[in-house]
Amino acid sequence: MESFAKMKAVSFRAWDTDFFGVPIGEAVWNPASGVSLAALEQEARAKGVRCLYIFCDEKNGELPSGFLGEGFKLVEERILYAWDPAAQPAAEAKAGPLMRLVRDEDMPELRRIAHAFVPTSRFFRDGAFSPELCRRYYSVFVDKEFRENSKTFWVAEIEGRPAGFMTLQKESPKEGRIVLIAVNPDMQG
């Protein structure tokens, strides 16, 4: 995800679009860019986008009231953190779950964990997608990540059982992001 200080034109979320069969787009919006929300909507319509997710910084005062009056609804909130490991002293290792790369035998449990995540997802909360399709989306997503990104798919293990997982995406040589993080509902609390 780009910095909120930068403006990003409407782009397609290709995998989501293919899965749901609806053109889904996203944009990073900053009112300081001089681009109006109406212009962003117009660009999305011109590109055939039927479901647009706009990411913006709540500090700019436009969220959520500025969007809600324009037909948007709040379906997800995110927090972005920046961390420079080179600027931090080495932390002392603490007891906790074992973190390891995903294995084939993890997949049934990780699909179950992903299903529990569905009610908190933006697709489910959007209301435009059926709950069944949202559940299938996350099962397929977890399988896709296993096949295509197993070197950035981490599992937290407690007593030999997956306690949760996170998938990562490298954005640049020095930047990455967490794509999805989920905790086993049996181990939450």
Side-chain angles (χ1 to χ4, degrees), residues 65-127:
S65 60
F67 288 166
L68 296 177
E70 300 296 324
F72 285 87
K73 60 183 171 184
L74 183 64
V75 295
E76 180 179 73
E77 295 181 58
R78 293 183 180 188
I79 299 172
L80 295 177
Y81 292 99
W83 178 62
D84 181 358
Q88 303 296 318
E92 184 178 318
K94 297 179 182 177
L98 167 70
M99 293 299 296
R100 61 170 173 76
L101 289 173
V102 66
R103 298 188 295 234
D104 188 51
E105 61 268 19
D106 296 326
M107 295 311 295
E109 184 69 2
L110 298 184
R111 285 184 206 102
R112 188 184 74 77
I113 293 169
H115 279 199
F117 176 77
V118 170
T120 65
S121 75
R122 74 168 163 257
F123 297 111
F124 182 85
R125 292 174 59 195
D126 184 289

Side-chain angles (χ1 to χ4, degrees), residues 149-180:
N149 301 309
S150 62
K151 298 219 182 298
T152 58
F153 191 146
W154 290 86
V155 172
E157 179 184 294
I158 296 177
E159 297 176 4
R161 185 172 165 220
F165 67 87
M166 71 176 165
T167 61
L168 308 170
Q169 180 177 336
K170 190 172 183 177
E171 299 284 321
S172 72
K174 293 188 175 188
E175 293 181 316
R177 70 180 176 102
I178 297 172
V179 177
L180 182 63

Side-chain angles (χ1 to χ4, degrees), residues 10-155:
V10 173
S11 61
F12 281 100
R13 296 184 56 88
W15 193 82
D16 300 342
T17 294
D18 291 344
F19 181 85
F20 287 109
V22 173
I24 298 173
E26 70 175 29
V28 175
W29 183 69
N30 181 344
S33 69
V35 176
S36 70
L37 185 57
L40 206 53
E41 270 189 272
Q42 185 176 15
E43 179 187 352
R45 289 182 198 283
K47 289 182 174 182
V49 171
R50 292 200 27 226
C51 179
L52 178 63
Y53 293 104
I54 298 177
F55 301 99
C56 65
D57 188 341
E58 56 86 22
K59 290 186 290 187
N60 67 37
E62 297 291 333
L63 182 70
S65 60
F67 288 166
L68 296 177
E70 300 296 324
F72 285 87
K73 60 183 171 184
L74 183 64
V75 295
E76 180 179 73
E77 295 181 58
R78 293 183 180 188
I79 299 172
L80 295 177
Y81 292 99
W83 178 62
D84 181 358
Q88 303 296 318
E92 184 178 318
K94 297 179 182 177
L98 167 70
M99 293 299 296
R100 61 170 173 76
L101 289 173
V102 66
R103 298 188 295 234
D104 188 51
E105 61 268 19
D106 296 326
M107 295 311 295
E109 184 69 2
L110 298 184
R111 285 184 206 102
R112 188 184 74 77
I113 293 169
H115 279 199
F117 176 77
V118 170
T120 65
S121 75
R122 74 168 163 257
F123 297 111
F124 182 85
R125 292 174 59 195
D126 184 289
F129 310 103
S130 74
E132 295 78 25
L133 195 55
C134 290
R135 275 189 282 282
R136 198 168 121 240
Y137 174 88
Y138 284 98
S139 289
V140 172
F141 179 85
V142 166
D143 287 339
K144 175 185 174 294
E145 288 294 300
F146 177 66
R147 283 189 319 275
E148 298 175 10
N149 301 309
S150 62
K151 298 219 182 298
T152 58
F153 191 146
W154 290 86
V155 172

